Amino acid sequence: MVNWPEKICALFLEKALAFITEFEAQALLLQLLFLKDSGLSPISWASFESQLNQARGTPLHLPENLPPPSNLFLHWQKLPENFLKDFQAEWHVWEQQQSGFQPIENWIGSFSELINNKTQRRKAGVFYTPRPVVRFLCRETLSTFLKRHQNLSPKTSEALLKAQTLSLDKTQKQALVSALKELKICDPACGGGYLLLGMLAELKSLEKQLLPNHSDYNWSQNIYGIDIDPLAVSVTRWRIWKASKTSAQSAENCKLQIVIGDTLAEGSPWGKDIRFDLWVANPPYLGEKGHQKSFEALKKGSLKGFYQARSDLSYYFFHRVLDWSKPGAIAGFLTTSYLLTSSQGQKLRGDLKERAIIHKITDFHELRLFSGALGQHNLVTVFERGYAPELPVSLNLCIRKGQFKEAALDNLLNQTTSAFIRREMRQDEIFRGPELSMAQPVRLQILDTTLEGILEKIRKQPTRLEDFAQLHQGLVSGADRLTLGHCKKFGIKQPPGSGIFVLDQKKIHSWPIKEHERQLLRPWFKNSDIEPWTAQTQSKNLIIYTDRQALLTPQDRLYQHLEDYYPILAARREVQLGRMPWWQLHWPRQASIFEGPKLVLPQRSQTALAAWNETPWYASADVYFITAQAADNILPWLLAWLNSPLAWLWLSCEGKRKGKLLELYHRPLAQMPVLRPKNEYAAFKSLLAELKAGKRPSLKLEKTLQQIFYAQLKLSQTEQSQLEAAWKNKAV
């Protein structure tokens, strides 16, 4: 089906860009949509200027929404005289030809989506919030406010927000509306105004329900927003103005309170300090890699104490919201679930522990909220500025999976009993370990009282994996194979997929390779070559292992092969900094990691999935290698531990994850408790013999190994049965 709004906007911008800049063209398109929605259709520059003057002082007049100097009208006049007339004529034809033509108001509401494709929005970390999620976030935030500051019971708050029968007298209702009118509500990254519009709708609904004969308050005076995109701010002002009262006062409120600026910059964007009562936010999800400029100011300003390398931009919005909040202010944030356990989120969690009361964490787990980001796992966190370690935190896990249409998603998010698992913990119990990792709601799908007890027994173990072994990430070549992006950026004429550092053995079989070159060719494996207990030992691929000791000359065949890709290899960071020749691997690691006895694990898996290997086995950074600190004989029992139900339970509940996959990174592995057997059991010798023969252990031997750990933890038969049942089902 043709997306006509998107098609028309694209055609308009394509024609305008021949004469004016991209921003000027986008601004003109938005200005014309504003006027068209109000019934105006300028066909000449004179009529356009006249209509702009009529709209002056309202959000219909775009130049007043932009920072000075913004005399866009002069720039727009670079377009041909008949440009507006032709556009209106084409629009009329489109309108006549298409049935069910969307109202202009809908076009304006989704303006950013119309002018930016999914790839552009993903690069900017911008995902616009679906209506059911807007409603859910606004109601969760308001519900917490009503319970905390208006002493309403959860049942009464829910009834009020869902327009159900209330047991409040007239005095209580009037007092409640008066309290709501005192609120200052802000979105620190308002974009096109979805969340602010949602909050405005909830406030109007509450007023109508509580005082049906007096619902004439202008709620626009309670709404504040900030965004760095001038056109997004213009759209938000216009939408709030239209949704409240299209009066001069509403226009003034929108102009003064919804502003262009950077929440993370220094100083108040409103020109004065304002402290807020309620926040709703879906901040941009933007990692530092590839966006260093966005993080530079953070390292120098008032938020520099919270800076962590490779963190996410969304984390800093939490800090700023706490800075700009009144004591007791309530905030509802929609983010990814990474913030619960991410190593780069440690300072954020520390700030939340010190300055916030977490009221509710809702993990949507395998439910897909954004059609443009299906691999994303989302989280709603509702918190209050304050400190009360004794108060409970409500952990909520959505047990529905997949993607739903809007009506179905709205219905699902209102199913407070059937769609979610719930449990409460104390504030001071949700932060764990030196990184202050927060309790993940996903554990609710695994844990019962019995398994919680087993988890506590594991937690009390005095030793960690890093006490016995060293963990290493696989190597980084910087260019395994040629990609389509390489071809476009560097003008390489080879077909995408061609090997650069990673080569097919058949391809190089006929090459005239000298002996010193042949010694640089090492067997190359993928994380999919790892199975429980054993890994593939035969590979079709080789890697040119040019570490810091390797030597190649222009006369060598491998050098000549790599030279075909010189522009790509020379652009890598370490080469640019003069730290290595262009033909070496970017991060080769130590060859000994890949050569001797070791355990290998994929970076992501539903279980630990560790495997033994003692042959040359080279792999990329999506594989972790475990080597013994001392005697190699510790590796068999470490392998047995990592592949046990006990290790799965720990990593599933206390480790890091992406949806249903465990993230087996350095820190969660290094810091996981391990049970070192107290005796040299024959079972471990049998395991080693099987592994050296290239076999995985029999089911009988696996059971024997598990029993050694069970006995050491003194697990009852009931505990063992429940643990193995959960492990077998892989509940998450």
Side-chain angles (χ1 to χ4, degrees), residues 443-665:
R443 59 194 273 135
L444 303 180
Q445 206 165 356
I446 303 171
L447 293 177
D448 56 17
T449 304
T450 300
L451 296 183
E452 186 76 73
I454 297 173
L455 199 63
E456 191 58 33
K457 290 180 181 180
I458 299 173
R459 185 176 289 111
K460 290 179 179 178
Q461 298 307 304
T463 53
R464 299 291 180 263
L465 191 148
E466 63 187 353
D467 296 333
F468 302 101
Q470 294 176 324
L471 287 97
H472 320 269
Q473 195 172 18
L475 65 84
V476 177
S477 73
D480 289 358
R481 296 182 182 277
L482 185 68
T483 66
L484 184 60
H486 288 147
C487 296
K488 291 180 178 179
K489 184 175 181 179
F490 298 102
I492 305 295
K493 301 303 182 183
Q494 302 286 348
S498 300
I500 301 179
F501 278 107
V502 175
L503 301 171
D504 189 303
Q505 290 202 45
K506 292 181 180 179
K507 178 177 180 178
I508 60 174
H509 181 70
S510 59
W511 287 6
I513 295 177
K514 302 166 189 171
E515 182 57 31
H516 77 274
E517 294 179 83
R518 195 170 301 281
Q519 291 179 6
L520 298 178
L521 296 173
R522 312 290 170 87
W524 181 251
F525 295 89
K526 299 179 292 184
N527 60 16
S528 57
D529 292 323
I530 302 172
E531 299 173 0
W533 303 100
T534 60
Q536 295 290 332
T537 55
Q538 300 297 319
S539 175
K540 297 178 181 178
N541 296 312
L542 298 171
I543 186 164
I544 304 173
Y545 188 73
T546 48
D547 62 5
R548 299 299 179 260
Q549 287 73 48
L551 291 175
L552 282 178
T553 68
Q555 291 73 42
D556 294 326
R557 182 64 181 86
L558 294 182
Y559 183 102
Q560 294 163 11
H561 160 75
L562 293 173
E563 197 170 27
D564 290 341
Y565 305 98
Y566 174 81
I568 300 170
L569 302 181
R572 295 173 298 164
R573 188 186 70 180
E574 295 299 288
V575 179
Q576 291 287 304
L577 293 173
R579 295 173 179 169
M580 55 178 265
W582 64 266
W583 44 265
Q584 288 186 351
L585 294 169
H586 205 227
W587 300 113
R589 317 300 184 199
Q590 294 293 322
S592 58
I593 296 169
F594 310 111
E595 292 284 340
K598 56 195 168 289
L599 306 182
V600 291
L601 298 92
Q603 197 176 71
R604 286 182 177 145
S605 173
Q606 278 192 269
T607 65
L609 200 68
W612 161 275
N613 180 270
E614 58 179 348
T615 62
W617 209 94
Y618 290 71
S620 188
D622 59 357
V623 173
Y624 272 85
F625 295 75
I626 298 177
T627 57
Q629 286 189 4
D632 291 338
N633 62 3
I634 69 165
L635 291 179
W637 68 257
L638 274 181
L639 177 64
W641 169 251
L642 287 168
N643 284 340
S644 72
L646 291 164
W648 165 80
L649 179 66
W650 176 266
L651 290 169
S652 294
C653 296
E654 300 294 327
K656 300 181 189 297
R657 63 168 56 249
K658 182 174 176 61
K660 63 183 179 181
L661 297 178
L662 302 176
E663 294 199 321
L664 305 174
Y665 294 164

Side-chain angles (χ1 to χ4, degrees), residues 282-316:
N282 175 17
Y285 313 150
L286 205 65
E288 185 171 7
K289 184 178 180 181
H291 304 96
Q292 285 84 355
K293 287 184 179 180
S294 300
F295 287 78
E296 283 304 314
L298 295 174
K299 300 177 185 179
K300 303 171 185 176
S302 58
L303 296 176
K304 64 182 179 182
F306 298 114
Y307 172 76
Q308 277 190 265
R310 302 190 305 280
S311 57
D312 195 284
L313 197 69
S314 63
Y315 298 170
Y316 299 92

